[in-house]
Structures are given as C-alpha cells and as structure tokens.
Amino acid sequence: MNRSKKKGLAAALVRIVIPPLLLLVVMLAVWQAGVVLFEIKPYLVPSPWAVLQTTYENADKIVSATSLTGRAALLGFLCSCTAGLGVGFLFSQSVWIRNCGYPYAIFLQTVPIVAIAPLIINWFGPGFHSVVIVSFIISLFPMITNATTGLTSTPPQLLELFRLQRAGPWQTMSKLRIPHAVGAMVTGARTASGLSVVGAIVGEFFAGYGARQFGLGYLIRQSAEMLKTDLLFASVGASAVLGVVIFSLASFVGYGLLAKWSLAHD
Amino acid sequence: MPAGAAQSGRRCAIRLSQVDVRFSKSDPPALRDVDFSVDAGQFVAVLGPSGCGKSTLLRVVAGLLPAASGEVLVENGGADQSEPVQGGPPKTAFVFQEPRLLPWRTVFDNVGLPLELQGVSRRDRSEAISESLALVGLSPNDAEKFPRMLSGGMKMRVSLARAMVTRPEVLLLDEPFGALDDMLRQQLNDDLLRLWREHRWTTVFVTHNVSEAVFLSDVIYVMKSAPGEMAARIETPFPHPRSADLRTTAAFARQVGLVSRVLHGGKA
C-alpha cells in the first residue's frame, strides 16, 4: 500500500515537475545561444548566465525586496479575502443591496490602477501601507464576485428543503449557503492571490520605500532607469517566483478547505 | 396503538376544501376547486399525468405554497375531528423526487439535519439518527459515507431516513421512487408500507405509477390534466398487511385496470 502510494507520488512528480523544467532548460539554452550568436548588447537582453550572476551578486538585495513585497502582497490578499467575503455576504442578502453596490465593485475592476495609485500615495503617504492598499484594491474584485455568485447560486431545491424544516435565515446561511459557496470562494481567492502580487509591485512603482528599504517594484523601476537590464530580469524572475508561491499557498489552503467542507461536490 | 403514534402523541388529518392555487394573477390556476381529505393515519396516493398539479397539491399541504382561496386544514385526528391541531403546527416530513442530500455532509449528518435545525444537541440526535438509519435498512458503516459514494437507491433511503428522524405526524412523498428501476422501486415500496404499518403516519404519496398507487394506498385521488382539478376518489379494497404477492393476484390487476381507466378519462 505504502509502496504503491510512494510510486504514485513519484509518477505525479515526474508528470508535473519534469516537463516544465525541461522546457525551461530548452528556453534558457536557446536564449543563451541567441545572445551569444547575435552579439546582443547586455543592456538590451542580458544572457541567462549574466542574469544568474547578477542574481547571485545581488542576492541580499533581491531577497529582502522579495520578502518586503511578499509581505505587502500577502497582507493585501488577506485584506481582500476578508473584505471580499464581507461584501459578498452583504450582496447576497438582497437584490436591492446588490444592485446598489455592484457598479462600484465593477469600478474596482475597471479603474486603471496606475491612475489611482499616485492618488492613494497622496492620501496615505509613500510606504508599506499604501502598497498594501493598492494590492488590496487590485485583488478585491474577484473575491467579491466569486463570493457573491457562490452565496447566491444555492440550488432552489436545497433552499426548499431548508424552508420546509423551518430553518432560520442564519441557519440557511451557515449550514447551506456558505458550505455550498466554498468552492466559488476558493476560486476567487486563487485569482486574487496572483493579483495581489501584481498590485503590490504596481504600488511599489509609485510608493517606493526609500533607499534603506525597498520592494521589487522599486527595484524593477530603478534597474530599468539605470539600464541594469540583468538586475531587471532578476527582479522580474523574483516577482514571478513570489507570485507562484502566494498562488500555491492560496491553492493549498483552499484545497484543504474544500476537502473539509465540500469534499463531495459531484 | 402503533409505536409511532404513541411517540408523537397526536394524529393529524388533512382537509382541503375548494382550494385554488395560482402562481401569478395572469396564469390559469395550478389547482382549481380541489377537495382533498386524508384521515388520520391513512395512506393516500395522488395519481395524475405530468403537470396536473400533484406536486403543487403536496406543497400546499406542506405549507410551502399558499392557497389563493379555499381552506387548508391539518386537524387533530382524535375524537373531536373539527378541532385544529393543538401544540403548534404538525410535524410534517417531505420526501422529494430527488434525494436532495447535502454533498458536504456524511449520511449521518444529512439524516440529522432536521433535528440539528431544531436545535437538538449532537448527543441527543445521535440515537434518533441511528434508529432512523436502521429503519430504512442502512448500516452504521454507511453512516460515515458521503452521498457521492452511494447508489441512487441508497441515496433515496437516506432521504427517507431524514424524513423519519423527526418522528413526523404527516409524511408527504413526491414521486420519491420515480427515478429508480422497477425492482428497486418495488423493494422500497415494500419497505415504505412496512414502516407505515408500524408507525401509521398520515401519508400522502404522489405518483404517476398506477400499480404503485394501488399497492400502497387506502385511497387514491386521481387528478385531471391541467388545470389541476380532482377527477375521482377511489378506495383501494385490499386489507393490510399487504405482501409483495398481492401484485400477482387477479384482483390487483382488476383494480389497476379500473384506476387506469379513470386516469385516462373513463368512469370509476
């Protein structure tokens, strides 16, 4: 039993991890070859080897920037989860409330964040909390829509079952609507997790942090302005890794919740 | 006195007179001038073509739909039959055509749902749930399973167990075995009849299957197709207890023939 489980795990690892790694190696090889063959200037496209070297040399800087951005993104994500669930809960209470509030929720999705980020910094001053607010705004919408959809799409047959048992509104919410909505909420949270990283980086573009403390957004802007393209590539790579980590974290927690609440959604 | 009646302490009769039901003012009525009566402890079947208003009738009895006009009464079935039921609304259990189980709950927690919603503590409902599961022939082993692990017939049994867990006074069944194959349907019919004999719930069973209606019921109400009028009331002449062999007798076949003729527009 144990052995077959291990075998299954190894097979899954080979299936999931090996193919993208292979593709990465091929792409890096093509990239390196291209830069060398066509003698491309390093400030246009640095070779992967140069990027790796820069990453190593600036490891302290990149790690501390990633960790700061990560903290801002995580906080923005948690805020958007909490607020999104709250607003979704409110929206699910009546069509009237939903109709009142929905246009403004859509505004969150359509507003060009680059336009309002400077405003937020004007209001709240440059620094960590402004970055968190931008990350929060960018990642809020999918949480609201998914929570609302989940909470309002309870099958009418099940609602009738609860009505027949004379269940109160709170019982219907806690024992039917919320468990039924967990799947949609997890989907919303996974989308929001990726966006929270984007939001944090955009926020840092404008908010920076100052010379002593800075995040990936600041590092990206600074290296672009100084034509340190290799550092720019390294920072972008770190952003991607951060996004994957936060997305995986949200997925992991989400699947845990799904297993507990909605194990048998068939 | 049967055990279930003794536990519930009261018997309920259902009386509907001149009941009209409309879903909207512009629509024709879903039920028109319906008179319908079930004595306490009686098993009544409602038979009719699809869309004739059988399920609507059941929902009116359950209080899920209001009557536009006419009278709906669930009365004390005791000595004074005109008395309304004392001590709150009657305990009504409803079994739907689909099992309607919550997929995130185990069989045990699905069956316990009505008690949970009434605020009965987990410890107190545990015994009632186990009893109810045993009644419908599910093992303690099945109790820990999730609905997706069960066959269609087992899901229906869970749904029946959930209806019985509150020890209802009125049991309403809306084509509960309609989606199952014939063999399973007959088996569940036998089980249902046995349970009814033991507990004597006032029962209304909606179906479009004539032989099922004849086998189970004391009285059959036949409905016309739209707009939902009652066509006939036919008494079933077979005494209880009934065994599965009843289905093979000539008298049974004659009764099925008679009810079928009425259903298709003939006279009783």
Side-chain angles (χ1 to χ4, degrees), chain B residues 73-87:
Chain B
L73 271 180
V74 181
E75 298 170 318
N76 196 327
D80 184 359
Q81 295 226 339
S82 63
E83 281 285 298
V85 172
Q86 300 292 313

Side-chain angles (χ1 to χ4, degrees), chain A:
Chain A
M1 180 80 184
N2 215 359
R3 185 177 289 175
S4 75
K5 218 175 188 177
K6 264 186 191 164
K7 223 174 174 181
L9 201 71
L13 213 66
V14 167
R15 209 172 50 241
I16 295 165
V17 178
I18 302 293
L21 275 183
L22 266 177
L23 184 64
L24 180 71
V25 169
V26 171
M27 281 195 316
L28 287 178
V30 171
W31 176 6
Q32 180 78 34
V35 168
V36 172
L37 274 175
F38 300 106
E39 294 176 358
I40 298 173
K41 301 256 181 325
Y43 65 84
L44 285 178
V45 182
S47 71
W49 182 244
V51 173
L52 211 65
Q53 267 182 321
T54 311
T55 309
Y56 181 73
E57 283 159 16
N58 296 283
D60 286 355
K61 215 191 257 185
I62 291 171
V63 167
S64 86
T66 308
S67 121
L68 190 62
T69 308
R71 269 178 281 163
L74 210 57
L75 205 58
F77 170 59
L78 290 178
C79 290
S80 69
C81 279
T82 315
L85 291 180
V87 174
F89 179 80
L90 259 179
F91 279 6
S92 72
Q93 294 305 299
S94 92
V95 180
W96 196 82
I97 299 178
R98 197 152 61 245
N99 288 346
C100 276
Y102 213 70
Y104 305 103
I106 294 170
F107 171 79
L108 286 175
Q109 174 79 345
T110 51
V111 66
I113 196 70
V114 286
I116 62 159
L119 254 182
I120 287 164
I121 287 146
N122 261 345
W123 291 336
F124 300 97
F128 188 72
H129 46 277
S130 286
V131 175
V132 173
I133 291 170
V134 175
S135 162
F136 162 68
I137 289 176
I138 284 200
S139 57
L140 182 57
F141 185 74
M143 218 40 236
I144 292 178
T145 42
N146 279 277
T148 308
T149 311
L151 288 170
T152 52
S153 64
T154 318
Q157 296 90 340
L158 294 181
L159 287 171
E160 193 184 42
L161 173 76
F162 270 62
R163 218 167 61 239
L164 197 80
Q165 311 288 349
R166 300 192 172 87
W170 175 242
Q171 283 182 317
T172 308
M173 180 54 81
S174 64
K175 293 182 196 300
L176 177 59
R177 286 189 191 273
I178 291 177
H180 181 264
V182 170
M185 288 172 181
V186 167
T187 307
R190 293 174 75 209
T191 314
S193 66
L195 286 174
S196 71
V197 178
V198 175
I201 290 171
V202 170
E204 285 168 351
F205 250 73
F206 295 94
Y209 283 116
R212 276 179 43 226
Q213 205 193 16
F214 51 82
L216 284 171
Y218 180 82
L219 198 62
I220 288 170
R221 204 180 71 174
Q222 194 200 36
S223 42
E225 278 168 0
M226 297 170 77
L227 284 182
K228 287 184 176 170
T229 315
D230 43 2
L231 187 57
L232 177 65
F233 268 71
S235 313
V236 170
S239 315
V241 170
L242 181 62
V244 169
V245 167
I246 292 190
F247 180 80
S248 307
L249 202 72
S251 301
F252 183 74
V253 175
Y255 286 135
L257 268 179
L258 273 185
K260 189 173 176 339
W261 282 72
S262 315
L263 180 79
H265 258 307
D266 38 8

